[in-house]
Amino acid sequence: MTGFGRGETIDQDLKIVVEMKAVNHRYSDINVKIPRKLSFLETEVRNYLKAEIQRGKIDVFITCEDLADHTADVRLHEGLAREYYDAISRLSESLGIPNDATAYRISRYPEVLTLEESELNQENVKQVLTQSLKLALAQFMESRTREGDNLARDILSKLEGMDEKIRIVEERYPQMVSDYRKKLETKVHDLLAEVNIDESRIATEVVIYADKIAVDEETVRLRSHIHAMKEELASGGSIGRKLDFIAQEMNREANTILSKCNDITISDVAIDLKTDIEKIREQVQNIE
């Protein structure tokens, strides 16, 4: 399920912004991008989100801005600067060229001048980050809830359509048996026109055929799965995996109906059922 959330908190000259977005994913995959100076909190951020989000590929972007007037110190490594100067002087003497080393030029050499950021108050940073994270998560979950409501309505609509298709299968079954009996009687009369026909034998064959193509168990289970999915959608919560399992069972029953019946009407309906179930399974992958 997709979603987006943003949280921003400013406290004691410190500003932390958390942005998070998600795309559809079968499992929980959380990727946190956090400034190096806040890396000590990365595990806590990840665990906090894992406890709240069960499915989705979530990217979390955290930025930190120190608003204090003095946030860093310039440090001079005087000993290293002298070594650079001595080396330049020896090179100048060896090559017989003027020594044009200046303090400015030497200061540009690696590690002569370094910028050291002032240390942050870790406890304060944690509080500010937590607040931003909560704000972002609340907005994120709100956006997912809206999408979830839309998905639920779409799935319920497809389930109602499946109910109608199952009704067609149930109504068509007796007609299939009747058609088979007529076809069998006609074929026997054509082959054995001068012979008395044993009606009980025909009845036996019809019973065997009727039992072979009976799909009442499958339609009952399919209706039960539809009812179970509606109940799960009404209950809310983290139901994505349950719905995925129910959809798999629905597909199993639709396959059995399709394999049992050689009637073109029921075959077409069973194919439509499988198509609806596959669409539902695709939507279910997006549900928490």
Side-chain angles (χ1 to χ4, degrees):
M1 189 181 299
T2 60
F4 176 82
R6 184 180 188 277
E8 177 181 318
T9 305
I10 300 176
D11 181 59
Q12 295 185 7
D13 298 324
L14 184 66
K15 174 182 175 182
I16 293 182
V17 177
V18 176
E19 292 185 344
M20 51 191 301
K21 61 180 182 178
V23 295
N24 300 326
H25 199 275
R26 189 170 184 179
Y27 304 104
S28 176
D29 180 15
I30 300 175
N31 179 41
V32 179
K33 294 185 178 179
I34 190 169
R36 185 169 58 85
K37 59 185 176 181
L38 304 186
S39 59
F40 67 96
L41 291 171
E42 181 176 351
T43 301
E44 289 192 39
V45 170
R46 196 181 300 277
N47 291 339
Y48 179 78
L49 294 177
K50 280 184 177 180
E52 300 293 331
I53 304 170
Q54 278 68 54
R55 303 182 87 179
K57 185 179 187 302
I58 299 100
D59 290 316
V60 182
F61 304 92
I62 300 174
T63 59
C64 176
E65 183 179 353
D66 195 335
L67 304 178
D69 293 336
H70 183 68
T71 61
D73 297 315
V74 177
R75 183 178 177 186
L76 169 63
H77 298 269
E78 188 174 344
L80 181 60
R82 289 186 178 279
E83 290 185 17
Y84 276 124
Y85 180 78
D86 292 342
I88 293 172
S89 297
R90 290 194 299 272
L91 180 62
S92 172
E93 184 178 345
S94 173
L95 297 179
I97 57 178
N99 183 346
D100 57 356
T102 64
Y104 173 73
R105 292 187 62 180
I106 294 176
S107 70
R108 295 172 60 87
Y109 292 151
E111 304 299 328
V112 174
L113 296 179
T114 58
L115 192 63
E116 295 185 355
E117 295 186 1
S118 56
E119 291 188 6
L120 297 174
N121 183 319
Q122 292 192 356
E123 189 59 34
N124 181 56
V125 170
K126 181 178 178 180
Q127 291 178 1
V128 176
L129 175 57
T130 300
Q131 179 64 22
S132 295
L133 190 60
K134 287 181 177 179
L135 292 172
L137 184 61
Q139 191 179 106
F140 175 82
M141 298 303 286
E142 183 181 348
S143 69
R144 291 188 113 192
T145 298
R146 288 195 299 269
E147 183 182 353
D149 291 341
N150 293 333
L151 290 175
R153 284 192 292 270
D154 181 67
I155 292 174
L156 287 171
S157 174
K158 288 181 172 59
L159 292 175
E160 293 299 328
M162 289 176 61
D163 261 329
E164 177 62 21
K165 293 180 177 67
I166 294 171
R167 185 189 62 78
I168 294 173
V169 172
E170 292 172 334
E171 291 179 352
R172 177 63 182 166
Y173 171 71
Q175 186 62 42
M176 287 176 57
V177 177
S178 177
D179 291 346
Y180 178 75
R181 184 185 183 98
K182 291 177 182 177
K183 190 181 298 183
L184 182 61
E185 288 176 343
T186 300
K187 189 171 184 179
V188 171
H189 279 295
D190 290 344
L191 294 175
L192 306 172
E194 304 300 327
V195 180
N196 291 329
I197 302 172
D198 185 355
E199 290 296 330
S200 65
R201 179 63 178 170
I202 290 180
T204 301
E205 289 295 329
V206 172
V207 169
I208 293 173
Y209 175 75
D211 183 64
K212 180 181 178 181
I213 66 168
V215 293
D216 54 320
E217 292 183 7
E218 286 75 17
T219 56
V220 168
R221 284 195 293 266
L222 198 47
R223 285 191 187 280
S224 175
H225 295 324
I226 290 174
H227 179 69
M229 185 168 285
K230 288 180 178 179
E231 284 190 332
E232 291 295 337
L233 287 169
S235 68
S238 299
I239 58 174
R241 289 187 174 87
K242 290 182 181 179
L243 297 183
D244 192 22
F245 173 76
I246 295 173
Q248 291 180 40
E249 295 303 305
M250 286 180 174
N251 193 56
R252 192 193 312 276
E253 303 303 337
N255 281 333
T256 304
I257 293 173
L258 187 60
S259 64
K260 277 189 173 183
C261 300
N262 57 2
D263 179 76
I264 186 63
T265 300
I266 291 185
S267 294
D268 287 344
V269 172
I271 290 172
D272 288 342
L273 280 171
K274 285 177 59 64
T275 301
D276 288 341
I277 293 168
E278 185 58 34
K279 290 178 180 178
I280 288 174
R281 289 191 68 183
E282 289 178 359
Q283 294 288 50
V284 163
Q285 301 303 320
N286 303 331
I287 295 178
E288 178 75 19

